[in-house]
Amino acid sequence: MTLKVSVYRYNPEKDAVPSMQDFDIEVPEGKDLMVLDVLALIKEQDDSFVYRRSCREGVCGSDGMNISGTNGLACITPISEAVRKGKLVLRPLPGLPVIRDLVVDMSLFYKQYEKIRPFLINDAPPPAIERLQSPEERAKLDGLYECILCACCSTSCPSFWWNPDKFVGPAGLLQAYRFLADSRDTATEERLSALDDPFSVFRCRGIMNCVNVCPKGLNPTRAIGHIRNMLLASGT
Amino acid sequence: MVTNITNLSRSGLYDWMVQRVTAIVLAAYTIFMVVWLLCNGSVDFAAWQGLFQQTWMRIFTLMALISLGAHAWVGMWTISGDYLNERALGKKALVFRFLFQALCGVVMFSYVVWGIQILWGH
Ligand code: SF4
Ligand code: SF4
Ligand code: FES
């Protein structure tokens, strides 16, 4: 079976402007390939084509891209779900500067992640073995710690497109809540006061694009709601 | 922390709260007006003036007017930060954004003052 694939191409050293390039790819009958397999087949045809990947099983977060209009991980998106009107259209994650072809510059995304201080803060001397949590306390981190920082969510969020330098974005905010919710973390107040400005959290307009695309099935909008409630509780 | 001097309060939480509370006031006012108009069939000048003679109605209306101003300010300020920022317009953005915000401020302030004039005028 021949699959029509249209791919975003841009090499700033050679091209003045980005363009879409069409490929005809032979895919085996009766087997549902992943989009990542198709990328490998394209690279066989054209060695200059560039994309990121590593684990090829949805745990490293490197191959986030825009697949026929929806952000997702190429390695766990089957082509049967991604082909629209007989065609597979692949673009880089929206809103971030393109380095080359499907590879984007994630600096702004990481800067926002860094801003929320994604590490446990606790100045009490650590106990000999480990800081203990009850099963209930540990359960609060479910749905938060699983994030693989693929950036599918933040780059589908209009608020992040307009203000990626000021709005933390869904991925960063999910992690912000992951540490706010951690019973072992003692910096709750500082964390909250660092978020209580008009941009960091409150640029979220509840559009829920982030929830729609998260390949790990996480819900940043809910986490953002929790942060807002914590801010409300400490502010009223 | 991202700071800003032109939003309503400096605090995102406060702005957010203002927008929620003013939305409730505006919704209540709208519902009241619709119900009042439905219950009063054909409204003539006397009925209309009678309604707005009441002190509570003037307070309610003034509250709705101020809510409208505050609600619109937070909303327009947000819009100007989305579409009139440096990413969208480059270096000129500051001038455009400031002029846009100033215009919004003047318009909303005028509406409130004008509304007061109508409410307490003759
Ligand atoms: S819910 Fe908030 S964070 Fe998620 S896509 Fe919408 S605006 Fe962005
Ligand atoms: S929340 Fe989901 S979509 Fe967003 S970075 Fe984490 S894994 Fe990716
Ligand atoms: S290659 Fe690792 S998530 Fe797809």
Side-chain angles (χ1 to χ4, degrees), chain A residues 95 115 161-164 166 193-194 196-200 202-203 205 228 231-232, chain B residues 1-2 4 7 10-17 19 77-78 81-83 85 87:
Chain A
K115 220 156 85 180
W161 295 339
W162 310 150
N163 289 292
K166 300 195 185 97
S193 69
D196 179 27
D197 60 84
F199 278 97
S200 302
F202 288 96
R203 273 287 149 153
R205 319 308 305 176
R228 210 188 276 129
L231 282 166
L232 267 175
Chain B
M1 162 110 96
V2 184
N4 199 287
N7 70 310
R10 311 262 319 178
S11 143
L13 179 67
Y14 188 87
D15 273 21
W16 183 83
M17 198 63 180
Q19 215 169 21
W77 176 84
T78 304
D82 279 351
Y83 301 110
N85 63 16
R87 287 179 73 80

Side-chain angles (χ1 to χ4, degrees), chain B residues 23-41 43 47-64 119:
Chain B
I24 293 170
V25 173
L26 289 171
Y29 194 76
T30 310
I31 292 169
F32 170 81
M33 282 315 275
V34 170
V35 170
W36 188 84
L37 286 170
L38 286 177
C39 294
N40 283 278
V43 180
W48 191 251
Q49 210 202 16
L51 175 66
F52 281 90
Q53 282 294 329
Q54 319 276 338
T55 303
W56 66 265
M57 185 58 193
R58 287 178 175 176
I59 294 174
F60 193 20
T61 309
L62 184 61
M63 237 167 86
L119 281 172

Side-chain angles (χ1 to χ4, degrees), chain A residues 109 146-154 170-171 174-175 210 213-218 220:
Chain A
F109 177 78
E146 299 94 328
C147 173
I148 56 172
L149 294 176
C150 64
C152 286
C153 56
S154 292
L174 188 86
Q175 290 317 297
C210 51
V213 298
C214 176
K216 307 304 273 184
L218 309 179

